[in-house]
Amino acid sequence: MRHYSLMAAASFAAIACASTPAFAQSASANPAAEEDDDNAIIVTARRQSERLQDVPASVSVLTADALEKTGAENAQDFAQLTAGVTIVTGTAEAGDTQINIRGINGARDAESSVALVVDGILKTNTAQLNQNQGTLRQVEILKGPQGALYGRNAAAGAIVLTTQRPGDRFEGAVRASYANESTAEGTAFISGPLADNLGFVLSGYYRTTDGFFRNEFLDADVVDDQEVWTIDGRIIADLSETTELDVKARYSQLRGASINFNSSFHLPNFAGVNPAFFEDVNEHPFRYYGNIRPTNEQDSFDISAKVEHDFGGVALTAWALYSDVQQELTADGTSADFARFISAVDPAASNVVDSCFASTANLTGFPVNQPGAVGQIPVPFIFAPANGSTFGAYSPTTCDGTQLQIRNQSDISGEIRLASSGGGDLNWQIGAYFLSIDRETGVSIGGDTGAGVSRELFNAPGSANPTSLLLADSFDTTVFAAFGSAEYSSGDFTAGLALRYDIEDRSSESQVPAGALDPFTGGPINPGLAFGNFAPVQETFKQLQPKVSLSWQPNPDLNFYANWGIGFKSGGFNNQGSSAIIDANFVQFIGADVSIEDQYDKEVSSAFEVGVKGEIANGAITFDLAGYYTDIEDMQFFEFFVGPFGLLRVVSNIDEVDVYGIEFNTSAEVVEGWTFFGSINVTESEIQANSSRPSTVGNKSPYTADYTINLGTEIDVPMNDSVDLIMRADYRITGPTWFHSFQDQEAPTLFSGLLPISALALPDFVGNANYGVARRDAFGVLNLRAGVEVGDFRATIFAENALNRKYLNEVIPAIEFGGSFISPGARRLVGVEVGYRF
């Protein structure tokens, strides 16, 4: 109920500001957007060019000019400028991106909830969500289910990008910047004609940074350093007056760090020994001292071709895409406190044990994050109070082992569509879609002998990096879909219906070597094999996705609208053996109230939206007010488990989640060249049923901020006949956020099971964890830019996170571990930027 008051107050304040020309521009009503002759913003939000004012849904728009003035380049930047949208990206690896729109989140290791559409082509790999996609000319963020119009993985919305097209003359631009932490960035493009009816665009991007954090043990900037470069090419040929061919190719390479996390304990009954055992994640001082240099490699390539032909009243669009993304990370391990690498069954691995004892002895007293302590022996302190150790994760010793993760995916997709092009009262489209995905994933935990991390998933006992745990599977997916839509306008009223039917056939097969044993436990290298052999699995997921929209426009400046649609994400498979590992280590051992399946179900959501948008004072003031309600069945959710077996990443289902909220955007041009803008989104959510974790019923939707607020101003005025002054300020407030279905609750941990059988013989409840301290607090980030434009030259100074606000990017609670893995947000970045266009 507290949010109803906040919703009402926010809406009243925003409307009051809009009614006095002192509040300004929202991203969804950006005056810098592409405009027609009537100064109306033109979008393609429904796969047709139309005024933003006429779209019966919430759409946020940023155009080339707005992108340049904000410095926005990728999904992370777009999300910061858009109400009701949050993002977590790059905390584990570069391709690890989860976008939350109005309470629906893209679960790590599952399909995205947000479709990425670039120049009309749907990209299918979630690793591409936060990549730079060439020279952007417009960004449209659609909220609510868009599958009926934009296809696969659009349950929460879609990001629609338009990039530079070649014109009939040569043009180009270059831009370069330098900031603290040795952060350098450059972009460039050139486009123009190659011959009659043939043009090209060639663009490039480069960025390097040392990052904000330093590994104290290695004495090196290897925590969040990164180097990435991308090249994009595009050729457009007019094959005839009615036929156009558009061919694109891009290659991107990234090298940098991974697993930018610290571990934090939430064990209140241990706090008597050391208060740091019960830590509020928001108060954690970040320090890094792993003995393994974390690495992340990502190589991306895609090529596409699109043909458009106008038959006269009917337009044909057909495209095909090939995409290949190879990802790999290496990092320190997490398992030292569970003594996995302290005793070995197989003598061939004894060198790992010797290394663990030796590194602990050599590092006794090394200052690590509290409550960590490196004692004379690697046994956790609760079992050796006099001289034991408490490592947490990612320690400077070899006792926590190593980890290697690979995620490789190649896919081929295509679509063919017929659509009306007459522009009459009735508009329609019909088409079909095909997709084939070949994906390989693997997680390998190895013993650390001091020789580094092998790039092979399996290494035999006695080797330099013997494998202790291996989860490896291949996944094949084939998708067929048919879709169609129709919209009819009669006077002031418009009604639309869209339908899409998807069939996704998925199969999985384990790649774990048969008979391979863990040298440290003597059991199967995948603990799930102890409960039976793995066999190939297959499942088909089907879903009809309708979308209904209504609009009433009593005049061109006012639009009352409503829409309803079904969102869909296919189910899939976890690494085989996941269910058995969770059952044996947590359910049977400590009585944990958790259930994980090797196969997770499809996610289906039903979303309603009603709203009004308009403009007054000849367009000087714009506004967009919307309310929404979404019922989500089998919401897909990422879970992270750590224990004596190593680590495990799985996708589970939350049976039912209800989400509802209100959103308001407004902008006002106070005087010519000076605009204010603002937006607010308030989201309330509740878990109605959750068989995976029954005790979480009544909690909030994970990864969903209680509210987001965007405020800012922009000045673009001439100082004289040849010099323009450009200034922009953006302030984003992100409300409190839970990152797990398990929230302000207490749960047994592995320590609860170990304490009663240890020499201390303490009761099990002493090892219980309380996760009330695992919520991210609200935080605000201020971005500033100021510069001058002299003809075709521009010089800018900028400050990202100008107030150096320390906040958390992500919190991943590992409930049965007794703590969370937390990652910090970016710190202040101040620099200069110069650009030239020709």
Side-chain angles (χ1 to χ4, degrees):
M1 289 298 295
R2 65 185 183 280
H3 286 310
Y4 286 119
S5 299
L6 182 55
M7 289 179 189
S11 300
F12 177 80
I15 292 170
C17 290
S19 63
T20 59
F23 207 69
Q25 170 193 359
S26 71
S28 61
N30 197 314
E34 298 296 339
E35 300 174 344
D36 66 5
D37 293 337
D38 297 323
N39 295 321
I41 301 170
I42 303 302
V43 298
T44 58
R46 293 188 294 168
R47 287 195 165 185
Q48 60 187 26
S49 295
E50 59 186 327
R51 296 193 315 158
L52 174 63
Q53 175 66 23
D54 297 334
V55 179
S58 294
V59 182
S60 298
V61 179
L62 292 168
T63 62
D65 187 63
L67 294 167
E68 187 173 20
K69 289 176 179 175
T70 60
E73 298 175 322
N74 50 40
Q76 185 172 9
D77 300 328
F78 312 150
Q80 283 294 101
L81 294 166
T82 308
V85 181
T86 59
I87 188 171
V88 170
T89 185
T91 55
E93 59 183 334
D96 183 12
T97 299
Q98 300 147 86
I99 299 177
N100 186 299
I101 299 182
R102 293 179 172 178
I104 300 181
N105 195 65
R108 184 184 272 110
D109 293 348
E111 299 292 344
S112 173
S113 294
V114 179
L116 175 65
V117 181
V118 183
D119 294 321
I121 294 178
L122 174 65
K123 298 207 170 182
T124 54
N125 194 321
T126 58
Q128 297 170 308
L129 273 174
N130 199 43
Q131 292 181 347
N132 289 58
Q133 296 289 337
T135 303
L136 296 178
R137 284 292 169 258
Q138 185 152 296
V139 176
E140 302 170 32
I141 299 181
L142 289 64
K143 302 169 186 176
Q146 305 296 329
L149 290 173
Y150 277 105
R152 191 170 181 271
N153 296 344
I159 298 176
V160 180
L161 306 182
T162 303
T163 70
Q164 176 77 25
R165 288 176 58 92
D168 56 5
R169 63 182 180 85
F170 284 99
E171 62 176 316
V174 293
R175 179 169 57 86
S177 66
Y178 187 81
N180 53 290
E181 318 308 334
S182 300
T183 302
E185 183 174 287
T187 64
F189 86 89
I190 184 171
S191 72
L194 291 171
D196 290 343
N197 302 321
L198 181 67
F200 81 100
V201 180
L202 183 65
S203 63
Y205 171 81
Y206 177 80
R207 186 177 192 271
T208 182
T209 181
D210 284 347
F212 297 100
F213 300 94
R214 186 176 182 84
N215 184 301
E216 299 176 26
F217 179 73
L218 298 178
D219 192 25
D221 296 317
V222 295
V223 174
D224 53 344
D225 64 304
Q226 190 177 94
E227 182 179 37
V228 59
W229 62 269
T230 301
I231 187 166
D232 290 84
R234 185 178 192 181
I235 293 177
I236 296 181
D238 291 329
L239 303 181
S240 70
E241 291 184 356
T242 57
T243 307
E244 178 185 274
L245 173 64
D246 185 353
V247 179
K248 297 179 64 179
R250 73 183 298 272
Y251 179 79
S252 179
Q253 183 182 94
L254 180 144
R255 299 292 183 266
S258 64
I259 312 292
N260 180 12
F261 288 99
N262 276 189
S263 57
S264 176
F265 288 98
H266 308 319
L267 303 167
N269 296 311
F270 285 18
V273 177
N274 186 333
F277 270 111
F278 188 52
E279 182 180 46
D280 185 331
V281 293
N282 300 282
E283 304 298 325
H284 179 82
F286 282 92
R287 293 178 60 210
Y288 300 84
Y289 40 72
N291 67 305
I292 299 293
R293 192 270 198 256
T295 67
N296 184 197
E297 297 184 1
Q298 183 190 78
D299 295 282
S300 304
F301 172 74
D302 55 70
I303 185 168
S304 65
K306 182 173 69 171
V307 175
E308 294 182 293
H309 178 76
D310 190 349
F311 289 101
V314 176
L316 168 70
T317 302
W319 58 259
L321 167 71
Y322 170 77
S323 173
D324 182 77
V325 181
Q326 306 287 310
Q327 299 186 103
E328 174 186 286
L329 72 82
T330 66
D332 215 344
T334 60
S335 301
D337 267 334
F338 300 113
R340 182 176 185 84
F341 299 110
I342 293 176
S343 60
V345 174
D346 189 335
S350 61
N351 57 336
V352 180
V353 180
D354 294 341
S355 176
C356 175
F357 274 87
S359 65
T360 304
N362 292 335
L363 291 169
T364 296
F366 183 89
V368 296
N369 274 337
Q370 290 292 312
V374 181
Q376 296 175 6
I377 60 174
V379 176
F381 91 102
I382 57 174
F383 308 116
N387 52 9
S389 302
T390 299
F391 297 114
Y394 321 117
S395 80
T397 74
T398 64
C399 300
D400 48 8
T402 66
Q403 58 177 301
L404 165 70
Q405 299 185 33
I406 65 165
R407 300 186 181 276
N408 302 328
Q409 176 176 319
S410 62
D411 51 74
I412 298 173
S413 57
E415 181 180 282
I416 185 168
R417 176 165 51 97
L418 288 171
S420 60
S421 58
D425 292 338
L426 177 65
N427 292 289
W428 57 268
Q429 64 174 322
I430 189 170
Y433 173 80
F434 169 78
L435 168 66
S436 175
I437 300 176
D438 181 10
R439 179 185 299 159
E440 294 181 353
T441 69
V443 177
S444 176
I445 304 299
D448 185 357
T449 66
V453 186
S454 167
R455 299 302 178 96
E456 299 294 329
L457 283 174
F458 176 71
N459 299 280
S463 63
N465 185 208
T467 302
S468 179
L469 168 74
L470 179 59
L471 306 170
D473 294 86
S474 63
F475 302 90
D476 292 312
T477 300
T478 303
V479 180
F480 297 95
F483 59 87
S485 66
E487 181 182 85
Y488 181 74
S489 298
S490 177
D492 299 336
F493 291 91
T494 301
L497 171 65
L499 290 171
R500 180 185 176 94
Y501 187 69
D502 277 90
I503 302 174
E504 295 212 11
D505 185 72
R506 293 193 160 206
S507 61
S508 172
E509 185 172 0
S510 175
Q511 302 298 302
V512 177
L517 298 178
D518 175 5
F520 301 94
T521 66
I525 201 167
N526 182 322
L529 286 168
F531 305 93
N533 293 327
F534 298 151
V537 290
Q538 184 273 334
E539 186 62 62
T540 300
F541 302 92
K542 304 175 182 179
Q543 185 63 44
L544 178 67
Q545 300 171 73
K547 177 95 173 187
V548 178
S549 59
L550 300 171
S551 175
W552 175 53
Q553 294 182 268
N555 61 66
D557 297 330
L558 189 62
N559 185 356
F560 295 90
Y561 63 88
N563 60 73
W564 168 80
I566 293 291
F568 163 66
K569 286 201 311 181
S570 173
F573 303 99
N574 293 310
N575 290 115
Q576 291 197 50
S578 297
S579 178
I581 293 172
I582 298 304
D583 183 70
N585 286 273
F586 299 126
V587 179
Q588 301 300 323
F589 181 45
I590 61 173
D593 187 20
V594 60
S595 175
I596 299 296
E597 302 296 333
D598 283 352
Q599 176 182 314
Y600 56 91
D601 294 331
K602 67 180 182 181
E603 175 183 304
V604 180
S605 55
S606 173
F608 296 86
E609 179 186 37
V610 294
V612 57
K613 60 173 67 173
E615 55 185 49
I616 56 178
N618 294 321
I621 300 175
T622 66
F623 62 90
D624 184 348
L625 174 66
Y628 55 91
Y629 169 78
T630 307
D631 175 69
I632 309 160
E633 302 289 338
D634 293 314
M635 172 185 278
Q636 293 170 7
F637 172 61
F638 169 78
E639 290 254 29
F640 187 61
F641 295 93
V642 178
F645 54 84
L647 62 85
L648 184 63
R649 302 163 55 127
V650 300
V651 177
S652 64
N653 291 107
I654 303 175
D655 299 318
E656 184 177 358
V657 182
D658 286 347
V659 178
Y660 50 94
I662 191 169
E663 186 173 293
F664 185 82
N665 301 273
T666 187
S667 69
E669 189 173 24
V670 182
V671 296
E672 185 176 358
W674 188 5
T675 307
F676 287 84
F677 47 91
S679 60
I680 182 170
N681 173 282
V682 180
T683 298
E684 185 62 271
S685 61
E686 184 176 356
I687 297 174
Q688 301 290 338
N690 187 6
S691 57
S692 177
R693 290 187 181 271
S695 65
T696 64
V697 171
N699 290 346
K700 296 187 176 184
S701 177
Y703 284 77
T704 301
D706 287 353
Y707 55 85
T708 62
I709 301 173
N710 288 74
L711 301 171
T713 187
E714 180 181 289
I715 296 174
D716 186 350
V717 295
M719 299 178 65
N720 55 46
D721 291 341
S722 59
V723 179
D724 283 352
L725 172 66
I726 301 171
M727 302 177 67
R728 173 130 183 165
D730 289 280
Y731 187 58
R732 165 65 174 253
I733 303 172
T734 303
T737 307
W738 293 102
F739 289 90
H740 201 284
S741 61
F742 200 90
Q743 295 168 11
D744 192 4
Q745 299 168 258
E746 183 174 301
T749 71
L750 289 170
F751 297 105
S752 306
L754 293 171
L755 283 174
I757 60 176
S758 72
L760 300 176
L762 294 172
D764 56 4
F765 73 85
V766 176
N768 289 359
N770 187 295
Y771 284 89
V773 292
R775 186 186 73 166
R776 181 178 69 186
D777 288 344
F779 66 94
V781 173
L782 174 66
N783 293 336
L784 301 173
R785 296 176 67 88
V788 294
E789 187 174 278
V790 183
D792 293 326
F793 175 81
R794 176 177 292 194
T796 304
I797 58 174
F798 62 88
E800 298 176 6
N801 192 4
L803 303 178
N804 202 27
R805 178 70 163 90
K806 295 181 179 180
Y807 64 95
L808 297 174
N809 194 353
E810 185 177 24
V811 179
I812 303 179
I815 304 303
E816 287 73 29
F817 158 70
S820 297
F821 293 84
I822 55 179
S823 179
R827 303 306 191 228
R828 179 165 52 209
L829 195 69
V830 179
V832 295
E833 177 183 289
V834 293
Y836 178 74
R837 57 178 178 265
F838 56 90

